[in-house]
Amino acid sequence: MSNRTFTMIKPDATSKGYTGAILDQIIKAGFQVKAMKWIKLSEEQAGLFYDIHRERPFFGELVSFMSSGPIVAAILEKENAVADFRKLIGATNPAQAEEGTIRKKFAASIGENAVHGSDSDENAIIEGDFFFSKLERF
Ligand code: CMP
């Protein structure tokens, strides 16, 4: 069990002005920000980040959406970070997300689902390393 996870606030949420409210909910849930950047991915970068999904039918849609506008990428720290963060954001499909979760409140669809959260400790490290150098985290 690791105490760090990785998140992105996705282009649907940044464009609708939800960034502040989402960060507020994350911080109030006890997560500390250990690295953060506001960045716009190219299609190539989005494809590399989601490389594991390359063969899925929704890959093209995912890459074009994730490079359509700015995102906020962050490394978060809390005891049991990966599992607790996935609980806080709710199910991938907002229609199935529990009341009060970030996706229930801020997401419109399975494709445009407001936030990403790492699904394992191993992926949290890989995903954090994708965005942040050692100098950019503490
Ligand atoms: P995320 O947790 O960032 O990881 C992979 C993303 O693929 C997921 O959130 C969704 O946004 C997206 N995704 C998963 N399933 C579908 C689908 N059926 N159609 C479109 N996008 C999907």
Side-chain angles (χ1 to χ4, degrees):
M1 182 175 93
S2 154
N3 61 353
R4 287 195 174 198
T5 191
F6 171 80
T7 188
M8 292 183 288
I9 301 177
K10 299 188 181 185
D12 56 321
T14 62
S15 71
K16 289 175 186 159
Y18 295 155
T19 305
I22 290 173
L23 286 174
D24 192 51
Q25 188 164 345
I26 290 170
I27 289 161
K28 284 192 174 131
F31 290 87
Q32 281 186 2
V33 176
K34 294 292 169 179
M36 179 173 281
K37 62 177 65 164
W38 176 266
I39 190 171
K40 186 169 180 296
L41 295 172
S42 65
E43 286 209 11
E44 190 188 353
Q45 289 165 330
L48 284 173
F49 181 86
Y50 280 116
D51 199 49
I52 198 169
H53 296 306
R54 199 165 285 275
E55 302 308 322
R56 302 278 193 99
F58 57 81
F59 181 73
E61 191 186 317
L62 176 62
V63 162
S64 111
F65 164 61
M66 287 303 294
S67 56
S68 67
I71 61 154
V72 175
I75 294 172
L76 303 172
E77 187 170 280
K78 182 184 182 294
E79 200 178 301
N80 201 26
V82 167
D84 283 4
F85 191 71
R86 285 174 76 81
K87 209 168 172 188
L88 179 70
I89 64 181
T92 306
N93 185 347
Q96 289 157 10
E98 276 185 43
E99 225 36 71
T101 59
I102 290 175
R103 283 175 173 152
K104 186 70 175 184
K105 284 156 76 173
F106 300 107
S109 67
I110 191 167
E112 305 201 0
N113 63 356
V115 281
H116 167 80
S118 304
D119 63 5
S120 66
D121 292 345
E122 187 190 8
N123 282 336
I125 292 166
I126 293 169
E127 292 170 0
D129 287 350
F130 184 91
F131 281 91
F132 298 102
S133 72
K134 283 191 179 136
L135 283 174
E136 294 171 316
R137 61 178 85 186
F138 66 94

